[in-house]
Amino acid sequence: MIRSVLAITDIRPAYTALLAGRYDLHRFDLIKDAEAFLNETGDKITAVVTSARFGLSVELMDRLPNLEVITSFGVGHDLIDLEACRARGIRVSTTPDILTDDVADTAIMLMHAALRNLVKGDDWARSGKWSANGPMALTRSVRGKKLGIVGLGRIGQAIASRAEPSGLEIGYFGRNPKPVDYQFFDDLVELARWADILMLSCPGGAATQGIINADVLSALGADGFVINIARGSVVDEPALIDALQNNVIAGAGLDVFYNEPHMDRAFAALDNVVLYPHHASGTVETRDAMAQLVVDNLNAWDERAELITPVA
Ligand code: 8YV
């Protein structure tokens, strides 16, 4: 049974209120003296609510000796050390599946926005450049392009199933081939050489840190695009900025960055990149469903020591 819950962040006000109605809820983000709080209350905390964005540091976890469960808002768990959790018998849940459609839709949206130059087109119409200068420059067609998906998990497959009817040929890179009809690549440079558009939809964390490096970007080439809805850490960001500045690749559509929300300002100066503020799952419908699943996981643990969507 759970009594005291530590919330690292507000998941959504109505759902945080639900938690506060049922549990003794402490908001870590609102606590002024964290040290005093942890000394006094750390051993009473049996559950943590967090998010993919904030995770839970091992240092903080170590201050919660009776922690049983972590329920996280979001599908990524790169900021929670699952090995450390397993070693301590701490169970962890995330919110998979319910965000897949919105994230895949965002990936497709960024792909179209990058190739068709949506943001520049909006400015062209809005600012009067259209009436002053005539038509804007031609853009690139999506149909007929080769889409190289890095990570064909749930989200990667949802992207592929949207891209196929738009006339894209699909190839993918992953740890192992999957039972699908798409071409498998076990080498990222080979995938990049084959692809016109590199779509990043793999998990973050140590295993994928910086795998999209200068070699991969130069293999993608001057007509190639990078779309990233995975994690900023997957890309060698200075190499990506350099590739965009020097036309090593044609452009990018990016939802994720190294240092969020303090994105490298070099991106803002580039006109061959479409930027989105890590908001692929940011719809009312999906965020409500994610918050509800966080609450449901916590209640399931409280009532029957079970998690609905465990990852550890
Ligand atoms: C989260 C995400 O909404 O699910 C993930 O892994 O990155 C986003 O969908 C966001 O990080 C909330 O913290």
Side-chain angles (χ1 to χ4, degrees):
M1 224 183 104
I2 299 169
R3 272 247 312 281
S4 293
V5 176
L6 183 63
I8 304 299
T9 182
D10 172 40
I11 43 170
R12 270 182 71 61
Y15 297 85
T16 297
L18 281 180
L19 295 177
R22 174 161 170 162
Y23 304 106
D24 183 12
L25 186 75
H26 302 272
R27 285 278 302 276
F28 199 60
D29 52 335
L30 304 181
I31 288 168
K32 297 246 156 28
D33 188 344
E35 196 51 36
F37 167 80
L38 290 169
N39 287 337
E40 255 165 56
T41 316
D43 62 351
K44 298 191 185 63
I45 302 293
T46 49
V48 161
V49 170
T50 188
S51 69
R53 172 161 178 226
F54 291 100
L56 183 66
S57 69
V58 173
E59 293 71 35
L60 183 50
M61 211 162 80
D62 285 346
R63 303 293 301 274
L64 311 171
N66 295 311
L67 185 62
E68 295 171 14
V69 68
I70 301 168
T71 61
S72 184
F73 176 84
V75 69
H77 46 72
D78 43 308
L79 299 182
I80 302 173
D81 185 337
L82 295 188
E83 282 313 310
C85 290
R86 287 189 191 106
R88 275 190 53 188
I90 297 168
R91 301 292 309 279
V92 184
S93 69
T94 58
T95 61
D97 300 321
I98 47 184
L99 47 64
T100 299
D101 282 332
D102 272 345
V103 176
D105 286 344
T106 303
I108 297 292
M109 173 183 84
L110 286 171
M111 179 178 74
H112 283 285
L115 271 77
R116 300 306 306 272
N117 229 334
L118 175 69
V119 176
K120 185 174 175 192
D122 178 275
D123 175 61
W124 201 258
R126 194 184 289 266
S127 68
K129 286 180 193 145
W130 186 17
S131 56
N133 304 337
M136 75 178 228
L138 295 182
T139 64
R140 303 308 295 253
S141 184
V142 163
R143 182 160 292 275
K145 294 285 184 298
K146 294 191 174 89
L147 181 67
I149 301 180
V150 179
L152 198 70
R154 284 176 283 223
I155 293 172
Q157 294 195 27
I159 294 169
S161 70
R162 284 159 171 73
E164 258 190 310
S166 300
L168 287 120
E169 193 184 337
I170 316 282
Y172 70 103
F173 167 87
R175 270 174 305 191
N176 299 304
K178 306 233 168 182
V180 291
D181 286 338
Y182 313 135
Q183 195 175 337
F184 174 69
F185 292 81
D186 61 7
D187 185 280
L188 264 177
V189 170
E190 289 304 317
L191 177 77
R193 196 166 286 134
W194 172 85
D196 301 300
I197 303 161
L198 210 52
M199 176 65 77
L200 313 182
S201 57
C202 56
T208 57
Q209 177 85 34
I211 57 173
I212 306 302
N213 57 23
D215 291 343
V216 174
L217 295 169
S218 70
L220 182 61
D223 292 325
F225 289 83
V226 169
I227 310 297
N228 191 2
I229 50 85
R231 284 289 181 264
S233 61
V234 170
V235 177
D236 176 343
E237 198 166 84
L240 176 62
I241 290 170
D242 181 70
L244 288 162
Q245 284 169 339
N246 296 302
N247 304 316
V248 173
I249 63 170
L254 306 174
D255 181 45
V256 286
F257 304 87
Y258 264 17
N259 188 19
E260 298 175 6
H262 309 294
M263 174 197 89
D264 191 319
R265 298 312 299 166
F267 284 116
L270 291 164
D271 65 2
N272 54 353
V273 60
V274 178
L275 306 172
Y276 209 53
H278 197 153
H279 214 48
S281 69
T283 63
V284 172
E285 294 84 351
T286 289
R287 289 287 170 86
D288 278 347
M290 290 162 65
Q292 184 64 59
L293 187 52
V294 168
V295 172
D296 291 346
N297 267 299
L298 202 60
N299 292 348
W301 186 262
D302 185 39
E303 286 157 16
R304 47 186 194 279
E306 268 174 33
L307 289 172
I308 301 163
T309 45
V311 288

